[in-house]
Amino acid sequence: MNKSFFEEREISCTDRTNAIIETLPYFVRDFFVAAELRTSPLTRLNYAYDLRVFFDFLGKKVFRGKSPESIELSDLDSLEASDIEYYLSYLSHYTINGKDERCTETGKARKLSTLRAFYKYLFNKNKIKANIPAKVEMPKIHEKEIIRLETNDKVDEIGDMLYVTQSGSGLTKRQMAFHNSLGLRDTAIITLFLGTGIRISELVGLNTDDFDFATNSFVVTRKGGNRAVLYFNDEVSSALQNYLEERENTLKDTPFADERAMFLSLHKKRISTRQVQELVKKYAKIVSPLKKITPHKLRSTFGTNLYRQTGDIYVVADCLGHKDVNTTKKHYAAMTEDIRKNAGRSLTLGKRDEKDGKY
């Protein structure tokens, strides 16, 4: 039986993780074995990337002359909080495997979280004396402006995005040649993003049998592998069915690799995340050239619109697949300002007599 997109992704993540572990100290493997019970393969791969950078740093800057795999537990025990702070500073601009890298505040926070989890495991197993990274403060993450498509009295960027995707207006001649073949697919993708707020990885992994047009619903594989049923409106349904009709006619009597995949590339293979990113960028650049609109920004657009229409942040969090409603507030919907406005306008200070205006 053919493996699903998500099964193949998990296998790929596991293989890459194991390859990195081979370049790290022997005691690192036990941490990953323990983490397998509570984390996804993608999370463990990110752990592996982070620890590779950390041990590379130790070999270059702290224990000069030592290779990452030769570092001992006693070396970790000899580190102080100042060494971890030095590491965070180092992450601003570093080189690994001959490639220059830079870490944002968010990236530094993630790498410190990985170190804390790693040290906590070793400390709980009595392999080291203290969890030194726990003594280091998390980098302060400055709030960034939430970028999304806007629809209000002055602009209708969402409508413009859908129009440009459907018509190809503003595309170059070369781009238009591709649009003639892929326009219905692109319209279905953009409409699905804007109408459901799914993640790019969730969209790429969709299969044709995940959809039920009798109920306008589909099954999506969320972060961590959980499956959820989401619903879409008639506009999304129409865009999807127009694409599927063309897809069926185009692929009739034509063998292709990813027969179940919902969205296909020009070469009749499952579309990649990179290809989805590029097609969103192509149309968004015409609609809003000053904004860097990505699939994730379309997700933000959906979250904001849903909140403004429902006024219920818990509904938004559920539809976006957020376990913590604070994530929804912080990253997807401009809710803080809206909540303040609504509170200020609806607050009653007391009972007032309608005749004389006095309380």
Side-chain angles (χ1 to χ4, degrees), residues 75 78 87-88 104 144 166 319 342 344:
D75 294 322
S78 70
Y87 170 59
L88 295 178
T104 62
K144 296 181 179 178
Q166 291 169 357
C319 289
N342 292 335

Side-chain angles (χ1 to χ4, degrees), residues 127-143:
K127 295 179 182 290
I128 56 175
K129 297 175 183 177
N131 183 354
I132 297 299
K135 299 180 179 181
V136 178
E137 291 187 14
M138 276 287 177
K140 183 177 180 180
I141 299 176
H142 295 84
E143 291 187 10

Side-chain angles (χ1 to χ4, degrees), residues 165-169 171-186 246 250 266 282-283:
T165 308
Q166 291 169 357
S167 66
S169 176
L171 296 178
T172 64
K173 287 185 179 181
R174 185 174 183 277
Q175 289 173 332
M176 199 63 195
F178 286 103
H179 185 269
N180 291 335
S181 301
L182 303 172
L184 288 178
R185 182 206 67 181
D186 293 354
E246 181 192 58
T250 302
L266 193 62
K282 175 177 64 178
Y283 296 115

Side-chain angles (χ1 to χ4, degrees), residues 3-225:
K3 296 182 178 65
S4 71
F5 166 78
F6 295 99
E7 289 172 333
E8 290 179 350
R9 188 178 69 174
E10 288 188 358
I11 292 171
S12 174
C13 286
T14 300
D15 289 344
R16 283 183 285 168
T17 299
N18 289 334
I20 293 172
I21 291 173
E22 292 298 322
T23 69
L24 300 178
Y26 68 92
F27 50 83
V28 172
R29 181 172 293 279
D30 292 339
F31 167 70
F32 282 92
V33 171
E36 189 170 346
L37 299 174
R38 53 183 174 75
T39 59
S40 68
L42 184 58
T43 296
R44 295 194 295 277
L45 178 58
N46 286 327
Y47 280 166
Y49 286 142
D50 292 346
L51 290 177
R52 179 174 63 179
V53 174
F54 177 64
F55 282 105
D56 185 69
F57 159 79
L58 293 181
K60 288 177 179 176
K61 301 295 183 180
V62 181
F63 309 116
R64 296 177 184 275
K66 275 197 171 187
S67 62
E69 61 265 32
S70 66
I71 292 173
E72 300 287 345
L73 284 167
S74 58
D75 294 322
L76 294 188
D77 249 341
S78 70
L79 296 178
E80 299 179 357
S82 58
D83 295 309
I84 305 301
E85 290 168 346
Y86 178 28
Y87 170 59
L88 295 178
S89 175
Y90 165 84
L91 291 173
S92 296
H93 184 202
Y94 64 97
T95 302
I96 186 166
N97 294 335
K99 186 178 179 182
D100 288 339
E101 300 283 358
R102 293 179 184 274
C103 251
T104 62
E105 295 165 342
T106 304
K108 289 181 180 183
R110 192 194 82 177
K111 284 179 168 53
L112 181 54
S113 292
T114 296
L115 273 190
R116 285 181 173 182
F118 178 56
Y119 263 76
K120 181 180 179 181
Y121 167 79
L122 295 176
F123 178 71
N124 288 343
K125 295 295 182 180
N126 297 316
K127 295 179 182 290
I128 56 175
K129 297 175 183 177
N131 183 354
I132 297 299
K135 299 180 179 181
V136 178
E137 291 187 14
M138 276 287 177
K140 183 177 180 180
I141 299 176
H142 295 84
E143 291 187 10
K144 296 181 179 178
E145 180 186 1
I146 299 174
I147 299 174
R148 58 186 170 269
L149 296 176
E150 291 287 355
T151 293
N152 52 47
D153 294 338
K154 297 179 180 179
V155 297
D156 183 13
E157 292 178 332
I158 296 176
D160 292 343
M161 183 76 168
L162 292 171
Y163 171 74
V164 166
T165 308
Q166 291 169 357
S167 66
S169 176
L171 296 178
T172 64
K173 287 185 179 181
R174 185 174 183 277
Q175 289 173 332
M176 199 63 195
F178 286 103
H179 185 269
N180 291 335
S181 301
L182 303 172
L184 288 178
R185 182 206 67 181
D186 293 354
T187 299
I189 288 174
I190 298 296
T191 308
L192 188 61
F193 272 138
L194 291 171
T196 65
I198 59 174
R199 299 177 177 91
I200 185 172
S201 60
E202 295 167 349
L203 180 136
V204 168
L206 289 171
N207 294 324
T208 54
D209 55 10
D210 289 329
F211 288 82
D212 180 0
F213 290 99
T215 58
N216 275 6
S217 63
F218 67 112
V219 178
V220 65
T221 302
R222 293 294 202 189
K223 272 186 176 181

Side-chain angles (χ1 to χ4, degrees), residues 321-337:
H322 290 161
K323 294 179 181 179
D324 185 354
V325 73
N326 288 317
T327 302
T328 315
K329 283 184 181 179
K330 187 174 181 181
H331 296 293
Y332 295 94
M335 297 172 185
T336 304
E337 185 178 353

